[in-house]
Amino acid sequence: MHQFISYIKFLLKSSNQHGAHSPFVYNLITKCFYDKSEYAEYKILKAYRSNLLQNPETIKITDFGSGSKVFTTDERSIKAIAKTSGTSLKISELLFRIVRYFQPNTILELGTNLGIGTHAMALANPKSQITTIEGCAEILKVAHQHLLEPELSNINTVQGDFRSVIENLNKDTWDLIFFDGHHSQDATLTYFEKLLPKAHNNSIFIFDDIYWSKGMTEAWENIKNHPQVTVTVDTFNWGLVFFRKEQFKEHFKIRV
Ligand SMILES: C[S@@+](CC[C@H](N)C(=O)[O-])C[C@H]1O[C@@H](n2cnc3c(N)ncnc32)[C@H](O)[C@@H]1O
C-alpha cells in the first residue's frame, strides 16, 4: 500500500527535463536518462539475465537484510531469485547508461545477488574497478560462474555481511556506490553514514527501493536533508545523491 500511494504521489509531482533548470541535472536527464541509443551492450545484458531466468537449479540461500517479501523457504531456484531479487532489464540498462555517462573509476555495490547490476556496470566502464559485496555464499557462487568472462576482470567480489565488510575496505574514496541490499531504514542510514566519509565532490550514491517501505522512505528523506548532500534525483525506483558543492541544494523527481 505504501508503494502504491507513493507511486501516485510521485506521478503527480514528478517531471521531465523541463522541470530542471540546473544544467548538470538537465544534461543528466537528456543525455543519460533519456538517451534512446540502442547500445550493443543491451543485448549482452539481456542474454545475461535470460540465462539466469532459464536456470531451474535450486540453491540454499541465506537470507540477509530485511528478509524476502516473496519466499518462505530457503531453497530457491536461480530463475526465481533472478526474477524477484535481480535488477530488471530496464533498470540494468539505466545503470549501464549512468555508469557510461559518469565513467566512475571506482565502484562499490552493496548486494551482488546474481551479478546483473555488477555486469551492467562492468560493461559500461571496463576500466573501472568494481567491488561488490554479497552475504549469501551460494548466490555469490552462481554470480561468479556468470561473471567469469575475461572482459569482466575488473570485478572484485567479497562475500560477507555489509556491516563487517565495509569496515575493512581499503579505499579512501568511491566514485559511485550502489546501495542495493538490506532495505531497512536503520541499515540504509548506517551504511550511508559509514560510507559518507568516502564520498568526494563528484561521487554518486544510488539507493535502490526508496519507496519499498515507510522506513525506507524516511531513510531517503534523512539522506536528502543531510548537510553534505546537495542535489538528489528521485526516479521512484532509485534515489540518486550528489555532493557537488557548486550546486544549490535541490531535490528533483524525474520520470525515467
Ligand atoms: C536486491 S538484491 C541485489 C540485486 C543486484 N544488485 C542486481 O543488480 O541484480 C540484494 C542482495 O543483497 C544481499 N544482502 C542483503 N543484505 C545484506 C547484508 N547485510 N550483507 C550482505 N549481503 C546482503 C542479499 O543476499 C541479496 O542477494
Side-chain angles (χ1 to χ4, degrees), residues 97-116:
R97 289 200 297 281
I98 290 174
V99 171
R100 189 182 176 281
Y101 181 72
F102 286 110
Q103 292 286 296
N105 288 318
T106 54
I107 300 178
L108 174 66
E109 179 183 38
L110 303 193
T112 320
N113 196 251
L114 296 168
I116 295 174

Side-chain angles (χ1 to χ4, degrees), residues 64-65 85-87 109 111-113 116-117 134-135 160-162 180 182 191:
F64 275 78
S85 312
T87 293
E109 179 183 38
T112 320
N113 196 251
I116 295 174
E134 172 56 52
D161 195 312
F162 299 154
D180 192 16
H182 207 164
Y191 304 140

Side-chain angles (χ1 to χ4, degrees), residues 48-49 52 61-67 76 81-82 84-88 91-92 95 109-121 132-137 139-140 158-165 178-183 187 191 208-209 238:
Y48 187 98
R49 218 172 159 269
L52 293 166
I61 69 120
T62 313
D63 202 350
F64 275 78
S66 56
R76 298 178 196 172
I81 298 170
T84 55
S85 312
T87 293
S88 72
I91 297 293
S92 65
L95 188 57
E109 179 183 38
L110 303 193
T112 320
N113 196 251
L114 296 168
I116 295 174
T118 325
H119 176 242
M121 295 190 285
T132 178
I133 311 170
E134 172 56 52
C136 175
I139 292 184
L140 195 56
V158 185
Q159 195 259 312
D161 195 312
F162 299 154
R163 275 167 284 228
S164 47
V165 176
F178 183 29
F179 297 78
D180 192 16
H182 207 164
H183 293 148
Y191 304 140
D208 183 65
D209 267 339
W238 283 346

